Amino acid sequence: MSVDNDADLLRGVSQKTKVWMSHGDRIEKMPEGFSVIGHTDNSPVAVMADSAKKMFALQFHPEVVHTAEGTRILNNFVFAICGCSPTWEMSSFIDWSIADIRSKVGAKKVICALSGGVDSSVVALLVHRAVADNLTCIFVDNGLLRKGEAEKVRKTFGDHFHIKLLYVDARERFLEKLKDITEPEKKRKIIGNEFIAVFEEEAKR
């Protein structure tokens, strides 16, 4: 990308810099008040800005490693333009989340659906940090995990983190529901709905 205006968002960015555009779209006409501050041979409006209103739009992905100076662009936006302070740390989020969970749960028992994926695993660990033995995780094995992954989840959460873990072998149930289904989106919905159904059945017990 070529930089046309290095004030504000593109301050400190090289005159020629590599950016990642994973598509062939292009902007033909900008909204009123905007001007081009960065372009490529294929994209005449790679970055546009209305500096008076502090509004910016990028045609590429600044958050990926393929954009060489993406971190600088994001820093410019967050710190210089928005005026944020670089005081936040992941530990701050963890501490806040644990305190928030404790304030809502108190001494009550908690059940958590565990699929083995990143999202549910992080939730399980945060809740366990907050309520300890008052948590029971329900791990639903849908038969679609990688080889050996179900056992790894059981060992990680049960043996390593010492979380109360209820293992539900629902492999045949899921595979029967998915039999002869070839459309990916339909598969995704079936898996999601069936996971919720299994979890709710186990939760009632």
Side-chain angles (χ1 to χ4, degrees):
M1 178 185 73
S2 297
V3 174
D4 299 301
N5 185 332
D6 63 358
D8 300 323
L9 189 66
L10 301 182
R11 184 182 301 276
V13 175
S14 305
Q15 185 59 40
K16 293 277 190 180
T17 187
K18 183 173 70 174
V19 299
W20 178 258
M21 293 193 194
S22 56
H23 49 72
D25 301 328
R26 57 188 284 162
I27 305 298
E28 295 291 344
K29 183 180 179 181
M30 292 181 292
E32 184 177 346
F34 280 81
S35 61
V36 178
I37 63 172
H39 73 277
T40 71
D41 292 340
N42 186 53
S43 184
V45 185
V47 189
M48 62 182 179
D50 183 335
S51 296
K53 295 181 179 179
K54 293 188 175 182
M55 297 175 68
F56 305 88
L58 297 89
Q59 182 70 354
F60 57 88
H61 293 271
E63 76 282 5
V64 299
V65 295
H66 308 291
T67 295
E69 298 177 81
T71 300
R72 181 181 294 276
I73 295 170
L74 293 171
N75 282 342
N76 285 341
F77 180 73
V78 173
F79 303 127
I81 295 170
C82 296
C84 296
S85 300
T87 56
W88 185 89
E89 296 178 354
M90 180 55 72
S91 59
S92 302
F93 171 76
I94 294 171
D95 293 340
W96 177 87
S97 297
I98 290 171
D100 185 52
I101 293 166
R102 283 176 180 160
S103 68
K104 291 177 179 176
V105 173
K108 296 177 182 176
K109 301 290 185 181
V110 180
I111 54 173
C112 176
L114 183 61
S115 68
V118 174
D119 294 341
S120 66
S121 296
V122 170
V123 169
L125 291 175
L126 282 174
V127 175
H128 187 246
R129 288 272 298 271
V131 303
D133 290 342
N134 282 342
L135 170 68
T136 298
C137 284
I138 299 176
F139 172 42
V140 179
D141 184 354
N142 59 18
L144 303 170
L145 301 174
R146 298 179 183 89
K147 183 178 180 181
E149 190 170 7
E151 186 58 31
K152 183 178 179 181
V153 170
R154 295 172 73 177
K155 286 183 178 179
T156 299
F157 288 88
D159 299 339
H160 181 72
F161 290 113
H162 306 294
I163 296 174
K164 293 178 184 175
L165 188 68
L166 174 63
Y167 172 71
V168 182
D169 186 352
R171 290 175 292 180
E172 290 188 11
R173 177 171 171 171
F174 274 83
L175 295 177
E176 183 61 32
K177 288 277 185 179
L178 294 169
K179 187 177 180 180
D180 299 325
I181 304 297
T182 57
E183 204 277 309
E185 184 63 15
K186 192 172 181 179
K187 284 183 179 181
R188 188 188 68 79
K189 289 180 178 178
I190 290 172
I191 293 167
N193 291 336
E194 198 63 20
F195 184 91
I196 293 170
V198 174
F199 173 74
E200 289 179 342
E201 290 171 12
E202 296 299 327
K204 288 177 182 177
R205 295 180 187 177

